[in-house]
Amino acid sequence: MKLVFSILFLSVSFSTFLPLAIARGGLHNSNPLGLEYGPGTGSGRHLFEDDESETRVDVAQGYMTNTELERAIKAFGQRCSNISRVYSIGESVNGVPLWVIEISDKPGEEEPEPAFKYIGNVHGDEPVGRELLMLLANWICDNYLKDPLATSIVDGVHLHILPSMNPDGFLLRRRGNANNIDLNRDFPDQFFPVNDYVNRRQPETRAIMKWLREIQFTASASLHGGALVANYPWDGTQDKRKNYFACPDDETFRFLASVYSGSHHNMSLSKEFEGGITNGASWYPIYGGMQDWNYIHAGCFELTLEISDNKWPIANELLTLWEYNKMSMLNLVASLIKTGVHGRIFSSDGGRPLPGFIEIKGINYTVQASRGIADYHRLLASGGRYEVTATAPGYKSKTTGIWLDKAGTNVDFVLDPNVNRRGIPLQSACECRWGTRNVIGIPIWKYTCF
């Protein structure tokens, strides 16, 4: 790589064993409902909580500081300016910019391509993701037009990388942000009103929510530490019990999680999680998580990836962790163009784009086409036949059947307007605006006529 990261090699010793906690489990604000989950009830690997007073050596040695990470991001933007742009989605509690790298052959431009985002360092004491994401960005830049996988990602996907969602927590060496709030328990929840007060949400949470209002992401993954498993929705249950609770796209999520696990060095060989994947609620339920919120409110298929047994491994393990996760990270992004059905929706009356909807027979979930160029990207598990329907207010729906084998398929829909007996298009007297639509009792954002 042209951009060199200096990784110091050191040994870390602990004077005593620290309290055990599960990777997604929590400190402050992680259990607002008094639910029974944690080290005694959750299965999966356990790990050490950070406690600076009992740590002889600063585990952050060899990791980029927040200042160094910002410099690395900006340096990447200059070095790879032909296929990237750097922008901020907001600031942390202490005013640290939340920098994002976008990688694409046309960064910042609207194209009929899916968008994917990686988010690292959601928990301040899980910093492996921020290092690996910078290595990922630089690998793609160095291998564009040389490696077919790197080239297909740059040419076919808009990849957005947020190395650190929680820079304040990283600086403080703790899970929560500067207000000691667990950001992965700070999002609106589908079952309980734990985070319904907008003014109480943390600035990092608000920045993510605003980001997804501005960019329509097809899929996403957040990187965590403390276990080795690919976690998928739902993360919680309505009765607060630990059991498998499938979302409407359970088969697709299992497929995506298996793409990551199966491409990993040893995740799929797990003796604790079959195939190296798990339903979140089956592992242990959490509430206010970012993963479920993405799927419910933003139409974004998000995974929670636990990528290292140790939450904060010593720095000389980072390159090994990168090699273990590299193909998984690349293949998950590439899966957006290697599977599913993609296309655009047009009106037969003039050919203008229609921001309509895509529905799959038997799956109670609707994907919306973009408002600008009306492109849609409907992820689906490979190896099956699907009945795809396109709809738009004031237009006749159209349905077609597709077969997905080992590649995705493209289907453009041209919809005819509803007309009266004289053949004149019917003008809707209602106002079209953003609203909600229930899916198994859950509010889903959808363009609706009232």
Side-chain angles (χ1 to χ4, degrees):
M1 296 182 180
K2 298 179 182 177
L3 180 62
V4 179
F5 292 96
S6 177
I7 300 180
L8 303 178
F9 297 88
L10 65 150
S11 298
V12 177
S13 61
F14 293 90
S15 61
T16 184
F17 287 104
L18 307 179
L20 294 174
I22 300 178
R24 294 185 307 153
L27 295 174
H28 184 78
N29 197 43
S30 65
N31 190 7
L33 302 171
L35 306 176
E36 295 183 1
Y37 61 81
T41 59
S43 61
R45 293 179 174 87
H46 297 93
L47 49 130
F48 301 126
E49 286 291 355
D50 65 293
D51 186 336
E52 296 173 53
S53 65
E54 297 183 319
T55 304
R56 291 178 181 173
V57 179
D58 184 0
V59 292
Q61 290 186 40
Y63 286 79
M64 287 181 285
T65 65
N66 287 332
T67 299
E68 289 168 342
L69 178 60
E70 181 175 350
R71 290 173 182 167
I73 291 172
K74 291 182 177 180
F76 175 90
Q78 294 177 350
R79 186 175 77 89
C80 307
S81 58
N82 60 318
I83 59 166
S84 72
R85 72 179 176 111
V86 172
Y87 64 100
S88 172
I89 61 170
E91 295 182 345
S92 68
V93 172
N94 289 335
V96 180
L98 304 178
W99 292 109
V100 176
I101 296 171
E102 179 188 5
I103 298 176
S104 169
D105 59 339
K106 295 181 180 178
E109 296 183 27
E110 188 174 23
E111 296 185 276
E113 297 177 354
F116 187 99
K117 61 180 168 68
Y118 270 123
I119 298 178
N121 204 195
V122 178
H123 294 135
D125 60 350
E126 298 171 14
V128 172
R130 55 193 267 151
E131 299 281 341
L132 265 56
L133 287 175
M134 289 306 301
L135 290 168
L136 174 68
N138 280 277
W139 187 91
I140 293 174
C141 178
D142 291 338
N143 289 278
Y144 178 54
L145 300 180
K146 301 175 185 177
D147 181 271
L149 188 55
T151 304
S152 66
I153 289 173
V154 174
D155 290 346
V157 179
H158 282 255
L159 172 60
H160 298 252
I161 296 173
L162 172 61
S164 180
M165 179 181 168
N166 188 4
D168 296 346
F170 172 81
L171 182 64
L172 294 167
R173 314 286 191 268
R174 72 183 183 198
R175 184 183 184 87
N177 67 352
N179 292 329
N180 207 16
I181 299 298
D182 186 332
L183 297 178
N184 202 35
R185 308 293 188 275
D186 195 45
F187 286 81
D189 188 78
Q190 61 176 311
F191 299 120
F192 305 101
V194 291
N195 300 313
D196 285 356
Y197 298 101
V198 177
N199 294 334
R200 294 185 184 177
R201 290 180 200 142
Q202 299 303 296
E204 298 91 344
T205 307
R206 294 198 300 269
I208 295 294
M209 296 174 71
K210 181 175 180 288
W211 190 23
L212 270 76
R213 289 194 296 269
E214 296 171 348
I215 298 176
Q216 189 165 339
F217 289 101
T218 301
S220 172
S222 63
L223 305 184
H224 296 255
L228 200 61
V229 66
N231 181 98
Y232 56 90
W234 298 123
D235 259 344
T237 58
Q238 194 164 11
D239 60 7
K240 307 178 186 178
R241 296 179 180 178
K242 188 184 85 168
N243 54 60
Y244 197 110
F245 192 41
C247 74
D249 277 288
D250 186 67
E251 184 178 1
T252 300
F253 272 109
R254 289 179 60 86
F255 170 78
L256 294 172
S258 296
V259 167
Y260 196 93
S261 178
S263 303
H264 190 274
H265 174 73
N266 60 349
M267 185 181 289
S268 64
L269 304 178
S270 173
K271 296 180 180 179
E272 303 168 56
F273 305 100
E274 184 177 355
I277 67 175
T278 186
N279 173 265
S282 178
W283 187 8
Y284 62 97
I286 70 169
Y287 299 89
M290 182 168 65
Q291 173 181 270
D292 289 3
W293 180 87
N294 267 262
Y295 179 65
I296 294 169
H297 293 286
C300 178
F301 287 50
E302 177 158 297
L303 299 176
T304 302
L305 303 174
E306 304 283 353
I307 60 172
S308 64
D309 287 320
N310 193 341
K311 293 173 71 175
W312 202 315
I314 56 177
N316 63 0
E317 296 180 7
L318 288 172
L319 291 181
T320 299
L321 289 170
W322 161 241
E323 290 301 323
Y324 284 4
N325 286 277
K326 179 175 72 174
M327 291 310 301
S328 296
M329 298 171 75
L330 292 166
N331 285 335
L332 183 60
V333 179
S335 69
L336 267 65
I337 51 179
K338 291 184 177 182
T339 188
V341 56
H342 311 263
R344 299 176 69 184
I345 305 175
F346 300 95
S347 169
S348 64
D349 184 16
R352 64 185 179 89
L354 294 176
F357 312 97
I358 296 295
E359 298 177 355
I360 306 297
K361 184 178 180 180
I363 301 178
N364 194 15
Y365 188 83
T366 300
V367 169
Q368 177 161 4
S370 68
R371 283 167 282 178
I373 59 177
D375 62 315
Y376 72 88
H377 308 279
R378 207 332 174 169
L379 297 182
L380 294 163
S382 296
R385 186 186 184 282
Y386 298 93
E387 193 171 294
V388 186
T389 298
T391 64
Y395 288 80
K396 299 176 182 178
S397 64
K398 282 191 177 179
T399 299
T400 188
I402 62 169
W403 173 263
L404 291 180
D405 190 8
K406 295 182 180 180
T409 188
N410 283 75
V411 178
D412 288 341
F413 288 92
V414 179
L415 304 186
D416 299 321
N418 291 321
V419 297
N420 60 21
R421 294 180 179 178
R422 299 179 180 178
I424 301 174
L426 296 174
Q427 299 295 322
S428 177
C430 61
E431 176 187 1
C432 290
R433 60 184 180 180
W434 289 98
T436 59
R437 176 176 185 263
N438 286 332
V439 173
I440 62 169
I442 301 167
I444 297 287
W445 288 108
K446 181 175 178 179
Y447 187 84
T448 316
C449 278
F450 294 91

